[in-house]
C-alpha cells in the first residue's frame, strides 16, 4: 500500500528494479549530454559534380582555342568588310563578301557555340561558378549575346550583301558589313581582358556562399567539443 522507505512519494511502478553491482545502464541517446548540447550539423547544399583535373584542363584548352579562333575570325571578317566597302572593283567586292559568307556559315557560328558551351562547363564544373564572380557572369552574358547576334544579325547581313552583289547590284549598305564585326571584336577583346584581370570581386550570391562555407567548419569544430562538467 505504501512505498518502501527512501522511495516515499513515488509509486512502485515508477521505481526501477534493483540491479546487480557492475551492471552497465544503457543511456538513451536522445537524453545524453552530447545529444542535448551538440547541435546537428547543417545540411550542405547539393552542388553539381566538379570536373576532374584532366577534364578541366581539356575543357580549358578547348575554350581558349575556340575563343582565340573566334576573335581572329572576327578580325578577318572586319578586314574583308573594309575591303568590300572601300574598293571600287566589282570582282573584289564580290570576292570579299563571298569569303565573308563562307566564314560566317561554316566557322563563325560553330566557334561561337563551342566557346559558349565550353565556358559554361568550366563555370559550372569548377569552383568559379556561374554567378559567384562578377567577371564570370559578365563574360557569360556577353558571350551569349554575341552568339545570338552572330546568328540573327551578322549572318543575315552578309547573306543579303552576297545576294545583292551576285545579282549585279551594289552593296546595300556598307555599314551592315562593318557594324557586326566591329561590335563583336570589341566584345571579344573586352572579354579577353576581364578573363586575364578577373576584376570586380564576388557577387552577392558569391559572398553569401563564402560566408556559409566559412561558418560551417566553425560549427563542426564547436560540435565536437565535449560539454564541461
Amino acid at each position: 500500500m505504501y512505498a518502501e522507505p527512501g522511495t516515499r512519494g513515488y509509486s512502485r511502478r515508477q521505481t526501477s528494479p534493483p540491479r546487480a553491482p557492475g551492471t552497465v545502464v544503457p543511456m538513451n541517446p536522445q537524453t545524453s549530454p552530447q545529444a542535448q548540447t551538440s547541435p546537428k550539423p547543417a545540411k550542405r547544399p547539393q552542388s553539381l559534380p566538379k570536373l576532374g583535373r584532366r577534364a578541366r584542363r581539356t575543357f580549358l584548352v578547348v575554350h581558349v582555342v575556340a575563343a582565340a579562333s573566334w576573335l581572329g575570325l572576327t578580325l578577318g571578317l572586319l578586314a574583308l568588310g573594309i575591303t568590300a566597302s572601300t574598293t571600287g572593283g566589282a570582282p573584289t567586292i564580290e570576292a570579299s563578301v563571298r569569303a565573308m559568307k563562307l566564314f560566317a556559315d561554316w566557322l563563325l557560328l560553330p566557334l561561337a557555340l563551342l566557346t559558349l558551351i565550353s565556358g559554361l562547363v568550366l563555370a559550372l564544373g569548377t569552383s568559379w561558378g556561374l554567378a559567384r564572380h562578377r567577371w564570370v557572369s559578365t563574360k557569360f552574358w556577353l558571350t551569349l549575346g554575341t552568339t545570338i547576334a552572330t546568328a540573327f544579325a551578322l549572318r543575315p547581313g552578309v547573306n543579303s550583301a552576297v545576294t545583292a552583289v551576285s545579282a549585279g547590284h551594289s552593296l546595300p549598305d556598307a555599314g551592315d558589313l562593318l557594324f557586326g564585326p566591329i561590335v563583336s571584336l570589341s566584345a571579344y577583346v573586352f572579354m579577353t581582358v576581364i578573363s586575364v584581370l578577373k576584376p570586380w570581386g564576388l557577387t552577392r550570391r558569391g559572398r553569401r556562399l563564402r560566408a556559409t562555407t566559412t561558418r560551417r567548419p566553425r560549427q563542426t569544430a564547436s560540435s565536437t567539443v565535449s560539454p564541461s562538467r
Side-chain angles (χ1 to χ4, degrees):
M1 184 175 180
Y2 297 98
E4 298 178 359
T7 58
R8 185 172 298 174
Y10 299 91
S11 65
R12 294 181 180 274
R13 293 182 179 180
Q14 294 177 343
T15 58
S16 58
R19 295 182 174 87
T23 303
V24 178
V25 181
M27 182 176 292
N28 189 354
Q30 297 180 355
T31 59
S32 61
Q34 289 79 4
Q36 294 179 357
T37 58
S38 301
K40 295 182 179 180
K43 295 182 178 180
R44 299 183 61 181
Q46 296 181 354
S47 58
L48 295 175
K50 301 302 180 181
L51 294 174
R53 184 178 181 181
R54 182 175 299 178
R56 179 178 60 83
R57 289 185 174 183
T58 301
F59 276 102
L60 182 60
V61 170
V62 171
H63 180 71
V64 171
V65 171
S69 301
W70 193 9
L71 190 150
L73 184 60
T74 306
L75 186 61
L77 289 176
L78 180 59
L80 291 172
I82 293 175
T83 302
S85 302
T86 56
T87 187
T92 304
I93 296 176
E94 184 175 359
S96 299
V97 294
R98 286 187 178 277
M100 293 183 68
K101 177 177 172 57
L102 180 64
F103 290 156
D105 289 343
W106 293 98
L107 294 176
L108 193 61
L109 192 57
L111 286 174
L113 293 175
L114 185 59
T115 304
L116 178 64
I117 294 173
S118 59
L120 186 61
V121 172
L122 284 172
L124 296 178
T126 61
S127 58
W128 286 108
L130 188 61
R132 296 182 181 181
H133 299 266
R134 297 182 185 277
W135 73 270
V136 177
S137 301
T138 303
K139 185 179 178 181
F140 168 74
W141 289 113
L142 281 177
T143 305
L144 181 62
T146 50
T147 302
I148 294 175
T150 298
F152 297 101
L154 194 150
R155 290 182 63 197
V158 172
N159 292 333
S160 63
V162 171
T163 302
V165 171
S166 300
H169 305 289
S170 60
L171 286 176
D173 188 3
D176 293 340
L177 296 179
L178 299 178
F179 180 75
I182 289 175
V183 173
S184 300
L185 184 62
S186 302
Y188 304 152
V189 172
F190 177 73
M191 287 187 286
T192 302
V193 172
I194 65 175
S195 297
V196 175
L197 300 181
K198 299 177 176 55
W200 308 321
L202 298 172
T203 61
R204 183 178 301 177
R205 173 182 172 83
R207 290 192 297 268
R208 186 172 63 251
L209 291 175
R210 174 172 290 184
T212 303
T213 306
T214 306
R215 193 183 306 115
R216 187 179 297 117
R218 296 179 181 177
Q219 294 178 353
T220 305
S222 61
S223 63
T224 56
V225 177
S226 59
S228 59
R229 297 184 180 180

